[in-house]
């Protein structure tokens, strides 16, 4: 039977058959990360009875909500074949602006949070301008702003922490009871942001343009897409997510700390994106996969802690996972090429 005849038989007069559904499911970008998450959870369930407790699973979500929101912006950037090395330091500066204005400068909490988010958006705009107007590589741009944001964080804070924070800045750290566990409003916000990002990337022309620019920027330009505008918008929106992550960081830690989020969040956001199946070559991946990737990182660290593995070995395991994920991405890219 030929391929055409097989396809015709499979469709059975235009109807979707179970075999077609299975193929679509297996071919979905987020399936690999989802299976990895399920296997990881099964492993830790066998190792400790505490892992599957509702309160522990809610704790995993609380632990990943900051990195999860950062990873939304990182996903957008990587989909366009770029990378942002400054996410953690920009977020740290944003939360210092929010906390210092509210605690030390007497600014009302809501305007203070808005100014902190605008600070992060300013860095996104700077990234977008340097990438699209000056034509600098995203790696170099964000490596430079990583150091700029790091320095500004310590200059603005004078290496001081700021507390107590007003209750409005702690709202997303408050909890509510659901299914026998406590969940923070920050987790809800993270899931809402992922839903918005999913809709934007999959159901709008803007989302198709983002994928097109990442897949082949020159080809996208020749089809009439304003590639510079798409890239500029991506970096600006990423800045918004960094600002929201700064707000969630304040709500989780309950103080403005200049050292918070400056190291691990930079790498963890990239780790979440890579483990979620988004290609570092751009043009391929899903934001839902990134959410799963962020949860995988959280599950690994939580599970390893529960079974008594030291923190340093948790980073070792995470590093190995990243290398394996990038290796798979590299092989897939070569095959497609």
């Amino acid at each position: 039977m030929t391929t055409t005849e097989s396809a015709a038989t499979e469709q059975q007069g235009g109807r979707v058959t179970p075999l077609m559904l299975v193929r679509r499911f297996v071919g979905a970008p987020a399936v690999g990360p989802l299976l990895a998450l399920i296997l990881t959870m099964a492993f830790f369930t066998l190792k400790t009875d505490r892992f599957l407790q509702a309160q522990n699973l809610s704790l995993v979500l609380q632990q990943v909500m900051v990195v999860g929101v950062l990873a939304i912006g990182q996903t957008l950037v990587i989909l366009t074949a770029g990378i942002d090395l400054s996410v953690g330091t920009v977020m740290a500066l944003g939360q210092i602006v929010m906390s210092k204005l509210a605690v030390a400068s007497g600014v009302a909490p809501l305007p203070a949070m808005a100014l902190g988010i605008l600070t992060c958006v300013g860095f996104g705009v700077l990234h977008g301008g340097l990438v699209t107007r000056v034509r600098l590589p995203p790696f170099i741009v964000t490596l430079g702003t990583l150091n700029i944001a790091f320095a500004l964080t310590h200059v603005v804070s004078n290496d001081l922490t700021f507390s107590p924070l007003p209750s409005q800045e702690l709202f997303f750290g408050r909890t509510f009871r659901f299914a026998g566990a406590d969940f923070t409003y920050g987790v809800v916000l993270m899931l809402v942001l992922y839903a918005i990002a999913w809709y934007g990337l999959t159901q709008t022309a803007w989302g198709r343009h983002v994928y097109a620019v990442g897949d082949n920027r020159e080809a996208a330009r020749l089809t009439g897409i304003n590639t510079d505008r798409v890239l500029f918008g991506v970096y600006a929106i990423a800045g918004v997510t960094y600002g929201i992550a700064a707000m969630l960081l304040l709500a989780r830690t309950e103080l403005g700390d200049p050292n918070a989020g400056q190291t691990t969040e930079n790498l963890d956001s990239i780790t979440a994106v890579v483990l979620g199946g988004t290609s570092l070559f751009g043009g391929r991946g899903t934001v839902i996969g990134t959410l799963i990737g962020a949860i995988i990182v959280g599950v690994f660290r939580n599970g390893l802690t529960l079974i008594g593995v030291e923190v340093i070995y948790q980073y070792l395991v995470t590093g190995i996972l990243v290398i394996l994920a990038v290796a798979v991405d590299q092989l897939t890219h070569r095959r497609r090429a």
Side-chain angles (χ1 to χ4, degrees):
M1 181 180 292
T2 66
T3 303
T4 303
E5 291 171 340
S6 176
T9 302
E10 191 177 291
Q11 289 189 19
Q12 296 181 350
R15 291 181 300 171
V16 177
T17 66
L19 180 58
M20 293 171 65
L21 292 176
V22 169
R23 287 181 175 177
R24 290 178 184 177
F25 175 77
V26 173
V31 169
L34 179 60
L35 292 176
L37 175 61
I38 292 172
L39 291 174
T40 303
M41 295 182 67
F43 173 79
F44 287 118
T45 300
L46 295 174
K47 288 293 184 179
T48 172
D49 296 334
R50 292 181 294 167
F51 178 75
L52 272 188
Q53 293 179 2
Q55 190 62 39
N56 184 62
L57 295 180
S58 72
L59 178 62
V60 171
L61 291 177
Q62 292 174 42
Q63 291 171 336
V64 304
M65 69 180 183
V66 174
V67 170
V69 173
L70 284 176
I72 294 175
Q74 188 73 266
T75 301
L76 296 176
V77 172
I78 290 179
L79 280 174
T80 61
I83 196 165
D84 192 341
L85 303 177
S86 69
V87 293
T89 51
V90 170
M91 175 189 68
L93 177 59
Q95 58 99 15
I96 283 297
V97 171
M98 294 178 188
S99 57
K100 182 175 181 178
L101 288 176
V103 174
S105 301
V107 177
L110 292 181
M113 288 189 289
L115 289 171
I117 293 175
L118 286 175
T119 300
C120 296
V121 173
F123 271 86
V125 169
L126 176 62
H127 295 161
L130 292 174
V131 169
T132 60
R133 301 302 178 188
V134 188
R135 305 297 182 186
L136 294 178
F139 181 90
I140 299 300
V141 170
T142 57
L143 180 61
T145 55
L146 179 154
N147 290 283
I148 293 171
F150 178 84
L152 287 177
T153 298
H154 289 275
V155 169
V156 172
S157 68
N158 200 26
D159 286 329
L160 300 174
T161 58
F162 300 96
S163 64
L165 298 177
S167 60
Q168 293 93 327
E169 292 193 341
L170 301 178
F171 172 78
F172 288 105
R174 297 175 186 171
T175 60
F176 62 93
R177 196 76 175 171
F178 179 75
D182 295 319
F183 293 87
T184 64
Y185 290 103
V187 170
V188 176
L189 177 60
M190 177 188 71
L191 296 177
V192 169
L193 291 174
Y194 269 96
I196 294 171
W198 172 85
Y199 181 85
L201 285 172
T202 62
Q203 307 298 313
T204 68
W206 173 82
R208 290 190 291 273
H209 292 171
V210 169
Y211 280 100
V213 170
D215 189 48
N216 191 319
R217 183 174 175 179
E218 181 61 18
R221 186 188 66 81
L222 292 175
T223 61
I225 296 174
N226 189 330
T227 57
D228 285 348
R229 184 169 62 187
V230 171
L231 286 172
F232 187 85
V234 161
Y235 282 100
I237 293 171
V240 174
T241 65
Y242 306 158
I244 296 174
M247 185 173 62
L248 295 180
L249 180 62
L250 280 185
R252 179 163 175 74
T253 60
E254 298 188 356
L255 80 163
D257 183 358
N259 297 308
Q262 297 233 29
T263 53
T264 57
E265 274 73 5
N266 285 328
L267 300 178
D268 284 353
S269 67
I270 298 174
T271 300
V273 175
V274 171
L275 291 180
T278 297
S279 173
L280 291 174
F281 297 97
R284 183 167 55 88
T286 67
V287 75
I288 299 303
T290 295
L291 175 60
I292 296 172
I295 295 175
I296 289 174
V297 174
V299 164
F300 256 102
R301 291 187 175 165
N302 176 269
L304 291 173
T305 299
L306 289 178
I307 63 178
V309 176
E310 295 181 19
V311 174
I312 192 65
Y313 293 106
Q314 297 177 24
Y315 287 105
L316 175 65
V317 172
T318 303
I320 293 172
L321 289 174
V322 173
I323 293 173
L324 290 175
V326 173
V328 171
D329 179 39
Q330 181 81 12
L331 292 173
T332 303
H333 179 75
R334 288 178 180 175
R335 182 181 298 177
R336 292 179 67 198

